[in-house]
């Protein structure tokens, strides 16, 4: 009886070519597994394509709600943003995919999992760390790193290889962007983006929306409500998280929200340039932050910012299934107990403009913050506070003067 391998299958040229390659070089029975994290029409026709390519079976697993509830929301609550710009769209999806690949491998009694990530990218790390953490006994096959037997170096090579194995599919050798899409975002790499000196060709590139220049001349007001840091409604309509993201994607794309051009530091040590479209995610992150401004105290906000950066690093590096991620997430969840309320903002040509935030747990006191004197604040108290708060500075200045050195 042949050993089985579970292939993380997208239906693209790379993973299509991998099917006959696995059979030829390892004599495996190939079971394809396509994880739906919100790719949309990219899943059309996959079953026929997988079978024509030699797979014995195809799983199409709908993980959209799991992805939203168990991976996206913890990162939104943490305010996890990698290198100040990247909202972790691809990074968050990989542990969800790895977990389901392991579950299918167990169900099928497979001895190995194969992925089509390249040897230069982050995804190989994210997939493999997830698999190692959940199923250390399973073999991992990464064709792009096996250069002694994976000899294909271009789309033309892969197309020719498929033809040699009787697989005639509608793939072309035309150059195009390398993209990764799910419900949260779509990433773009390649072509003119490989040169950081080149301006992106947004008319050719964008999929989820338009540039701010092409957005409507009239702004649009949006209202969102949150309960314990989780979004529950948009414009008065209650819906689950995945539907909220779909709605925000529609609104954000229309108004040119969430387009990021970034040169980021990959885990493997190189810099890469890409453009990310995250219209709904950008709105959701901003709305959540606006509500936190109202309800979290200063010390918690400061520490939470550090934890958000740590969470972003953890997720970017593929370390989801670790005690550290669990600990950071536990801290973040404890801060969300009172992140409940309503956020209103206006979308206008790439901007998210505040239009009012309310919460039953707001720490904002109008009487304290106003220029008039309130009952809780005595201006005279500031004298002693400033004296003590500035004491280290004063002592240092006195000492410097004593030794003959001016502080200016």
């Amino acid at each position: 009886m042949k050993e089985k391998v579970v292939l993380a299958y997208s239906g693209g040229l790379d993973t299509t070519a991998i099917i006959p390659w696995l059979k030829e070089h390892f004599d495996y029975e190939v079971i394809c597994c396509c994880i739906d994290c919100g790719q949309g029409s990219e899943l059309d026709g996959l079953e026929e394509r997988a079978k024509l390519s030699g797979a014995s079976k195809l799983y199409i697993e709908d993980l959209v709600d799991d992805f939203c509830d168990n991976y996206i929301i913890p990162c939104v609550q943490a305010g996890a943003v990698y290198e100040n710009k990247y909202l972790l769209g691809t990074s968050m999806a990989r542990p969800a995919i790895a977990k389901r690949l392991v579950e299918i491998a167990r169900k099928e009694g497979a001895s190995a999992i194969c992925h089509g990530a390249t040897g230069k990218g982050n995804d190989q790390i994210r997939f493999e760390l997830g698999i190692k953490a959940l199923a250390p006994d399973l073999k991992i096959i990464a064709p792009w790193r096996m250069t002694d037997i994976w000899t294909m170096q271009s789309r033309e090579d892969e197309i020719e290889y498929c033809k040699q194995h009787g697989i005639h599919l509608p793939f072309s050798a035309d150059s195009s962007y390398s993209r990764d899409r799910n419900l949260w975002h779509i990433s773009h790499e390649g072509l003119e983006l490989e040169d950081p000196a080149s301006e992106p060709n947004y008319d050719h590139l964008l999929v989820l929306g338009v540039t701010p220049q092409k957005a409507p001349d009239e702004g649009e007001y949006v209202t969102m409500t949150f309960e314990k840091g989780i979004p529950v409604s948009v414009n008065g309509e209650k819906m689950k998280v995945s539907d909220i993201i779909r709605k925000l994607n529609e609104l954000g794309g229309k108004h040119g929200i969430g387009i990021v051009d970034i040169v980021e530091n990959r885990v493997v040590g190189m810099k890469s340039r890409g453009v990310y479209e995250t219209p709904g995610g950008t709105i959701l992150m901003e709305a959540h932050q606006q509500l936190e401004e109202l309800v979290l105290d200063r010390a918690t906000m400061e520490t939470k910012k550090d934890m958000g950066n740590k969470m972003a690093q953890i997720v970017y590096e593929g370390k989801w299934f670790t005690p550290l991620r669990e600990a950071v997430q536990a801290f973040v969840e404890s801060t969300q107990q009172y992140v409940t309320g309503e956020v209103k903002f206006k979308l206008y040509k790439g901007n998210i403009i505040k239009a009012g935030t309310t919460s039953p747990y707001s720490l904002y006191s109008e009487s304290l913050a106003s220029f008039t004197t309130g009952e809780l604040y005595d201006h005279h108290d500031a004298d002693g506070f400033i004296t003590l708060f500035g004491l280290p500075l004063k002592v240092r200045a006195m000492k410097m003067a004593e030794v003959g050195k001016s502080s200016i």
Side-chain angles (χ1 to χ4, degrees), residues 19-280:
I19 296 172
W21 181 86
L22 286 168
K23 297 176 71 175
E24 178 180 353
H25 291 280
F26 297 94
D27 196 31
Y28 276 129
E29 177 186 345
V30 181
I31 297 164
C32 290
C33 184
C34 178
I35 309 299
D36 180 7
C37 289
Q39 297 93 302
S41 61
E42 292 180 13
L43 303 179
D44 295 346
L46 285 195
E47 185 162 5
E48 181 183 5
R49 183 176 303 172
K51 295 289 181 64
L52 284 172
S53 304
S56 65
K57 189 182 294 185
L58 170 67
Y59 286 87
I60 297 181
E61 300 289 294
D62 183 351
L63 284 195
V64 173
D65 287 329
D66 176 52
F67 175 44
C68 292
D69 297 340
N70 298 313
Y71 298 88
I72 289 177
I73 287 300
C75 290
V76 171
Q77 291 180 323
V81 181
Y82 183 71
E83 295 188 340
N84 300 313
K85 288 186 177 181
Y86 174 41
L87 300 188
L88 301 170
T90 301
S91 311
M92 292 186 297
R94 295 321 188 213
I97 293 171
K99 185 171 183 284
R100 185 51 58 92
L101 290 173
V102 167
E103 291 168 352
I104 296 299
R106 295 303 194 207
K107 179 180 177 180
E108 288 287 342
S111 58
I113 292 176
C114 178
H115 65 78
T118 71
K120 287 186 176 182
N122 294 315
D123 281 343
Q124 58 180 337
I125 299 167
R126 296 165 183 156
F127 283 134
E128 294 185 33
L129 263 59
I131 295 166
K132 289 176 186 295
L134 299 173
D137 57 302
L138 290 179
K139 290 183 286 188
I140 299 173
I141 299 173
W144 281 98
R145 299 203 305 261
M146 304 172 72
T147 54
D148 53 335
I149 53 176
W150 178 269
T151 58
M152 292 169 274
Q153 299 296 317
S154 66
R155 289 181 66 84
E156 290 87 352
D157 290 345
E158 291 176 318
I159 290 169
E160 182 58 33
Y161 181 81
C162 287
K163 288 180 178 177
Q164 291 173 3
H165 289 77
I167 303 167
H168 299 277
L169 293 169
F171 293 118
S172 72
D174 295 340
S175 294
S176 61
Y177 295 103
S178 173
R179 291 184 166 110
D180 181 84
R181 181 176 183 174
N182 57 45
L183 188 66
W184 186 248
H185 89 152
I186 184 167
S187 64
H188 311 266
E189 293 179 343
L191 299 186
E192 80 276 1
L193 301 180
E194 293 188 348
D195 180 4
S198 297
E199 181 181 5
N201 182 0
Y202 287 118
D203 289 338
H204 181 219
L205 180 150
L206 295 179
V207 173
L208 299 181
V210 298
T211 60
Q213 295 92 325
K214 294 188 175 182
D217 292 331
E218 293 293 324
E220 183 171 358
Y221 285 98
V222 179
T223 302
M224 293 185 65
T225 59
F226 290 81
E227 293 179 5
K228 295 186 176 181
I230 299 173
V232 294
S233 76
V234 176
N235 292 335
E237 183 180 353
K238 287 202 168 188
M239 54 185 93
K240 61 183 181 179
V241 174
S242 58
D243 287 336
I244 286 175
I245 294 172
R246 289 186 182 96
K247 180 63 177 177
L248 295 179
N249 275 336
E250 175 190 332
L251 293 168
K254 174 183 174 184
H255 290 281
I257 306 293
I259 301 168
V260 169
D261 181 353
I262 182 175
V263 176
E264 70 192 66
N265 291 292
R266 287 183 178 175
V267 181
V268 293
M270 69 181 70
K271 289 184 181 289
S272 65
R273 195 270 189 102
V275 170
Y276 296 105
E277 292 181 77
T278 321

Side-chain angles (χ1 to χ4, degrees), residues 276-290:
Y276 296 105
E277 292 181 77
T278 321
T282 301
I283 296 171
L284 180 51
M285 294 283 277
E286 175 65 21
H288 180 265
Q289 182 178 321
Q290 287 182 23

